[in-house]
Amino acid sequence: MQKSLSAFALTFAVSGFILFSASIGMAADVDGGAEQLRQFVRNSKTAEGDFVQQQLRAPKANEPQDKGLKVVRQTQGHFAFARPGRFVWDTQKPFEQKLIADGKQLILWDKDLNQATFRPAGQALAATPAAILFGEASLDQHFDLIDGEERMGMKWVALAPKKDPKAKGGNELPYTKISIGMANGLPKALELIDGLGSVVLVTLDKIQLNVNLPVNRFNFTPPAGAEVLRLN
């Protein structure tokens, strides 16, 4: 089985780029997290930095109940993005895997499996929070932004996806809650909760804003001998 990480990496990466698309430090003087996020989305062009991704769950019945959520999977690495439509989500530990969007396609490269999977970026990302990065419309056209509580030293903003009456079956995301944590004018965390109560937490560090990123940073050619899968 492919580490069961392909979906894990894809979920984190496309969702995490809500934060990256919102990364420009000119809203520190704005009190509301929702308005800060709006300003970030309007003004961010590029960013890179480090990430830690955690999948969390509540303790089971036979486990101590006072320990809070338990980390069941963790990865870490480096990210870079250029708006619109290009990013690299480079997982470095505990193993090497890359998720790359070049503006037209989404590529998952697994070094251990020597396998590259290609799929159309639009189809893979259209129904995810990454639409904030890849769309040119305002954030408020896709989400209702709701100022939330302050915790973990951050001001949290809830994102409620708006319904698209033209979409078949609606445009519902696989999460019951999407939240972004803001601190000192920067997005620092993304929290996703699904219908089963599983929690995905992405934290960012060492963010550099509006840096010069060459276009070939987002190119990927599978090495000779690699297995290549192309999904429509």
Side-chain angles (χ1 to χ4, degrees), residues 30-76:
V30 179
D31 290 334
E35 184 57 32
Q36 289 187 36
L37 184 57
R38 290 186 181 97
Q39 291 193 26
F40 294 155
V41 171
R42 285 195 296 265
N43 293 284
S44 61
K45 302 300 181 184
T46 66
E48 64 178 331
D50 296 334
F51 67 82
V52 174
Q53 314 169 356
Q54 295 179 318
Q55 185 171 351
L56 312 172
R57 66 165 174 80
K60 296 180 179 179
N62 60 346
E63 296 175 336
Q65 300 296 304
D66 60 346
K67 301 297 184 180
L69 295 175
K70 180 179 180 179
V71 178
V72 295
R73 183 179 294 140
Q74 177 170 307
T75 61
Q76 63 188 76

Side-chain angles (χ1 to χ4, degrees), residues 106-125:
L106 189 66
I107 307 157
L108 178 64
W109 165 246
D110 191 307
K111 183 177 180 181
D112 290 346
L113 295 177
N114 196 26
Q115 181 184 83
T117 303
F118 292 74
R119 70 188 74 192
Q123 295 178 23
L125 299 175

Side-chain angles (χ1 to χ4, degrees), residues 137-154:
S138 70
L139 180 63
D140 294 277
Q141 287 184 324
H142 299 287
F143 297 92
D144 290 319
L145 303 186
I146 305 167
D147 281 313
E149 73 278 23
E150 291 190 32
R151 56 185 171 89
M152 300 166 60
M154 291 175 277

Side-chain angles (χ1 to χ4, degrees), residues 65 87 113 115 125 128 130 136 141 163 190 194 216:
Q65 300 296 304
F87 70 78
L113 295 177
Q115 181 184 83
L125 299 175
T128 73
E136 296 182 359
Q141 287 184 324
K163 300 289 185 179
L190 170 68
D194 67 19
N216 62 10

Side-chain angles (χ1 to χ4, degrees), residues 149-172:
E149 73 278 23
E150 291 190 32
R151 56 185 171 89
M152 300 166 60
M154 291 175 277
K155 294 184 177 181
W156 288 84
V157 184
L159 281 74
K162 293 185 176 181
K163 300 289 185 179
D164 182 357
K166 298 180 181 179
K168 293 182 179 180
N171 59 349
E172 294 184 0

